[in-house]
């Protein structure tokens, strides 16, 4: 008996064999385009009918913030999963995928530079280079934080290309701290509490999102048993990360929307609508994570968990875009 399945890489007499890599690349491009549309078109959609006024250039700012968040997730996830891999027996002997950290640092540097130019023009989108007051960045808290992020991504890129890429953890930590401080100005009640919540939330989100992406890339190079062990170890840590993200997200939301006004503001304000969309995306991600974990434990082939994990990382990308959108919308008034 002979097999009728065509051999991979060998042309079929009835036609060419489609390349799986090309289909995967098209899917990634579609997801990236969809993720870019969320911050670009999201502000006008979220503000529609609320009576609130959005900041000039909110779509562009949300897109830059989304790129910055994604650029943070990728190297953080690589450092995280590489550390997990080293903790497994024989993990250091397996090959690792090519690092995306230098490219992520370049994208993060460009996004941080664009956001710094907005701060340098009084939180307005500059029309000309002459409108940018670079020296004025040193005179304000937001300006100093913007400069810190620009320099941190530059240093992270240099560290990623050095012989000790693990040193990029320090400039990446500086980006997280700067984002936590920027999100909570000193004029709001309890800014340090809000910054601490954002610090934990952003760190765990970067570990979860970037870690899953790098884990899936690593599985393509690891044999079955070792790959299943790595995915299982990541899944156990991801459960803790999800709990921390949920707890800090709820606390941060209640600080900006008192419990008695949450339901009304979730549908009546732009921030609430974007937050509701993010919550729904995270709920989908959690369901996919549970599905992948059940397959990992009960399926005859644990690596069948890769399918829901791929869907999970795609929805996580949309959640990152929703997070970028949230930063460009007006914070709801505490009624």
């Amino acid at each position: 008996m002979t097999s009728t399945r065509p051999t991979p890489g060998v042309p079929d007499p009835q036609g060419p064999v489609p390349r799986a890599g090309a289909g995967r690349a098209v899917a990634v491009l579609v997801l990236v385009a969809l993720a870019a549309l969320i911050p670009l078109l999201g502000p006008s959609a979220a503000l529609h009918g609320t009576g609130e006024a959005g900041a000039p250039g909110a779509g562009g700012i949300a897109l830059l913030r989304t790129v910055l968040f994604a650029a943070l997730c990728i190297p953080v996830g690589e450092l995280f999963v590489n550390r997990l891999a080293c903790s497994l027996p024989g993990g250091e002997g397996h090959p690792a995928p090519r690092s995306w950290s230098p490219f992520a640092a370049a994208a993060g540097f460009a996004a941080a530079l664009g956001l710094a130019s907005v701060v340098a023009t009084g939180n307005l989108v500059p029309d000309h280079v002459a409108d940018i007051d670079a020296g004025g960045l040193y005179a304000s808290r937001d300006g100093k934080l913007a400069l810190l992020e620009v320099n941190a991504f530059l240093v992270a890129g240099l560290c990623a290309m050095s012989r000790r890429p693990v040193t990029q953890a320090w400039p990446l930590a500086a980006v997280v701290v700067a984002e936590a401080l920027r999100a909570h100005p000193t004029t709001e009640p309890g800014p340090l509490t809000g910054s601490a919540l954002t610090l934990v939330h952003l760190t765990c989100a970067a570990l979860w999102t970037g870690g899953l992406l790098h884990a899936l890339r690593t599985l393509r190079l690891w044999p079955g048993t070792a790959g299943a062990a790595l995915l299982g170890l990541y899944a156990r840590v991801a459960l803790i990360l999800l709990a921390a993200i949920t707890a800090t997200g709820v606390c941060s939301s209640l600080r900006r929307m008192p419990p008695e006004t949450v339901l009304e503001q979730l549908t009546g304000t732009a921030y609430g609508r974007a937050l509701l969309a993010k919550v729904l995306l995270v709920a989908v991600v959690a369901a996919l994570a549970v599905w992948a974990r059940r397959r990992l434990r009960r399926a005859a082939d644990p690596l069948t968990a890769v399918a829901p994990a791929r869907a999970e990382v795609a929805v996580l990308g949309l959640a990152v875009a929703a997070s970028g959108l949230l930063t460009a919308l007006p914070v709801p008034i505490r009624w």
Side-chain angles (χ1 to χ4, degrees), residues 76-181:
V76 169
E78 288 188 2
L79 294 174
F80 171 46
V81 172
N82 288 340
R83 183 65 178 269
L84 292 180
C86 291
S87 66
L88 293 173
E92 295 183 358
H94 292 298
R98 181 182 180 184
S99 175
W100 287 354
S101 293
F103 307 105
F109 174 80
L113 195 61
L115 291 168
S117 69
V118 173
V119 176
T121 54
N123 290 324
L124 298 173
V125 179
D127 295 325
H128 306 284
V129 177
D131 297 336
I132 301 175
D133 180 17
L137 290 172
Y138 295 95
S140 68
R141 178 177 181 269
D142 286 348
K144 293 175 182 177
L145 292 175
L147 284 175
L148 175 60
E149 292 184 356
V150 171
N151 293 326
F153 272 115
L154 178 61
V155 175
L158 295 176
C159 292
M161 295 184 291
S162 69
R163 293 183 178 180
R164 292 182 57 83
V166 70
T167 55
Q168 64 184 308
W170 296 107
L172 293 174
V175 174
V176 175
V177 172
E179 274 298 302
L181 293 174

Side-chain angles (χ1 to χ4, degrees), residues 260-304:
E260 63 273 13
T261 68
V262 168
L263 293 179
E264 187 173 355
Q265 294 206 52
L266 282 177
T267 56
T269 65
Y271 186 91
R273 292 174 178 178
L275 179 61
L276 180 59
K278 180 181 175 181
V279 169
L280 293 176
L281 287 172
V282 173
V284 173
V285 169
L288 289 169
V290 170
W291 183 17
R293 189 176 180 86
R294 291 186 64 181
R295 281 196 172 186
L296 196 61
R297 283 185 171 184
R298 303 179 182 180
D301 181 8
L303 289 183
T304 57

Side-chain angles (χ1 to χ4, degrees), residues 12-127:
D12 192 340
Q14 299 178 357
V17 178
R19 295 178 58 187
R24 188 179 294 113
V26 171
V28 170
L29 290 176
V30 171
L31 288 172
V32 170
L34 181 59
L37 289 177
I38 291 177
L40 283 175
L41 305 180
S44 58
L47 289 164
H48 181 71
T50 63
E52 298 172 300
I61 293 173
L63 180 61
L64 289 174
R65 192 71 62 186
T66 298
V67 173
L68 187 145
F69 289 159
L72 177 65
C73 290
I74 290 174
V76 169
E78 288 188 2
L79 294 174
F80 171 46
V81 172
N82 288 340
R83 183 65 178 269
L84 292 180
C86 291
S87 66
L88 293 173
E92 295 183 358
H94 292 298
R98 181 182 180 184
S99 175
W100 287 354
S101 293
F103 307 105
F109 174 80
L113 195 61
L115 291 168
S117 69
V118 173
V119 176
T121 54
N123 290 324
L124 298 173
V125 179
D127 295 325

